[in-house]
Amino acid sequence: MRSVTKDNITDVFRSYMADDMPPRTREIMSALVQHLHDFARETNLTHDEWRKGIAFLEACAAIETEDRHEFVLASDVLGLSSLVDMIHSSADATSSSVLGPFHVSGAPPLPVGGDMKRDFGGPILLAEGTIRDTEGNPIGGAELDIWQTAPNGLYASQDEAQDTFSFHGLMTVGEDGRYAFTTVKPVEYTVPSDGPVGDILRACGRHPWRPSHLHFIVKAPGFRTLVTEIFPDDDPYLDQDTVFGVRDDLVMTYHERDASDFPEGMALSGKVDAPFLAVEFDVVLARE
């Protein structure tokens, strides 16, 4: 079409799409371009601002690596990751939350009662609970992928001093659906702010802090896979998570217990000689 104008360019774009393209692709691309064009018209976007937007995307691509996913981080701090999570969370199951850019696949097996703290300093945390369906029945054989930061606030993929799977474990629960493991108390940390995403945060007058948390991916045949995080209720950043990951049902409470209360059947049983923290958190999965 020769007579393209700022008012009809969106409709012209739609007219260029093939008649036999997949309906969902048509729906997504049509909506994407509609909002993109409306954004430019609403803000009267300048050439300089457009170039800065392109430069941001190029800068994200320039620092993307196997261990650093700047585009995922951008989606996180803009709230898109959490919005997609919330759109597709099941109302009667544990809420989903952001995967984040630091998950490492292929974590080593961690037995029920196993330990991830190893020789790292910091308070011991005993985390346990039951994986259930929405009717309260335990889900035997469910798989729990666990990861977190080290006490220095860094994930293994960010820190050359840690091995590849530091603070990562893959647990298969028994028929009772119970999981249990020990680790170090997670700490709050900052998302990487030395790249283009950091520029966005600073431009908006925002901080890069996340509240401390444990990451879970929970899988079981016949159930929807759950990607989530759980947060302690005393964390100073609970109400200002820079990636919008906190949900009411994902907030837990740590309870301090005496060393004499540490349970049997754990990797650290008989080795705990100081007060430790304990938390009970059940996970509810929705059926597919």
Side-chain angles (χ1 to χ4, degrees):
M1 177 179 287
R2 298 182 183 182
S3 54
V4 178
T5 70
K6 66 180 179 66
D7 297 314
N8 72 7
I9 188 171
T10 308
D11 291 332
V12 172
F13 172 87
R14 292 194 182 101
S15 74
Y16 288 172
M17 293 192 291
D19 292 336
D20 59 350
M21 68 187 298
R24 180 61 173 166
T25 304
R26 175 183 292 277
E27 178 184 9
I28 290 174
M29 290 304 301
S30 180
L32 173 65
V33 171
Q34 178 74 60
H35 290 290
L36 196 61
H37 289 182
D38 285 345
F39 161 74
R41 284 186 285 253
E42 177 185 340
T43 62
N44 196 28
L45 194 69
T46 68
H47 287 91
D48 184 56
E49 291 162 344
W50 173 81
R51 282 191 290 269
K52 287 180 179 178
I54 296 298
F56 171 79
L57 297 176
E58 292 174 339
C60 286
I63 63 173
E64 278 277 317
T65 68
E66 184 178 349
D67 297 324
R68 177 162 183 169
H69 303 284
E70 196 75 2
F71 283 111
V72 173
L73 184 59
S75 174
D76 290 349
V77 304
L78 292 175
L80 179 60
S81 303
S82 278
L83 179 56
V84 173
D85 287 335
M86 290 184 283
I87 289 171
H88 295 286
S89 280
S90 176
D92 54 354
T94 299
S95 294
S96 62
S97 189
V98 295
L99 173 67
F102 301 114
H103 176 251
V104 179
S105 300
L110 180 71
V112 176
D115 176 59
M116 296 200 307
K117 183 178 185 293
R118 300 187 294 178
D119 296 327
F120 285 86
I124 293 174
L125 173 65
L126 167 60
E128 53 187 337
T130 301
I131 300 173
R132 306 180 184 276
D133 63 20
T134 55
E135 297 177 348
N137 304 304
I139 303 175
E143 180 184 272
L144 179 64
D145 191 348
I146 310 156
W147 74 104
Q148 67 173 90
T149 60
N152 63 0
L154 297 176
Y155 290 93
S157 59
Q158 297 175 285
D159 187 0
E160 293 182 356
Q162 298 182 55
D163 65 49
T164 303
F165 296 113
S166 174
F167 289 104
H168 287 70
L170 190 62
M171 181 179 296
T172 301
V173 304
E175 289 305 308
D176 60 359
R178 291 286 295 176
Y179 73 87
F181 63 94
T182 50
T183 185
V184 68
K185 177 187 177 184
V187 297
E188 58 269 16
Y189 65 90
T190 60
V191 300
S193 58
D194 58 341
V197 170
D199 294 337
I200 291 288
L201 291 174
R202 285 183 287 275
C204 295
R206 290 174 52 191
H207 68 69
W209 285 93
R210 293 218 64 202
S212 58
H213 55 272
L214 294 168
H215 287 275
F216 289 167
I217 298 177
V218 192
K219 298 180 180 180
F223 293 86
R224 293 174 57 181
T225 295
L226 173 69
V227 179
T228 195
E229 310 167 278
I230 55 176
F231 306 84
D233 59 7
D234 61 351
D235 192 283
Y237 294 101
L238 195 66
D239 294 314
Q240 44 184 315
D241 179 9
T242 198
V243 305
F244 313 96
V246 180
R247 318 278 183 265
D248 285 339
D249 66 313
L250 302 181
V251 178
M252 58 183 174
T253 301
Y254 293 150
H255 299 281
E256 186 173 295
R257 295 182 181 173
D258 189 77
S260 61
D261 293 332
F262 196 84
E264 297 296 325
M266 304 284 295
L268 294 186
S269 296
K271 303 175 183 177
V272 177
D273 57 6
F276 66 97
L277 300 173
V279 63
E280 179 94 10
F281 186 87
D282 289 351
V283 177
V284 179
L285 298 185
R287 293 192 179 274
E288 289 182 336

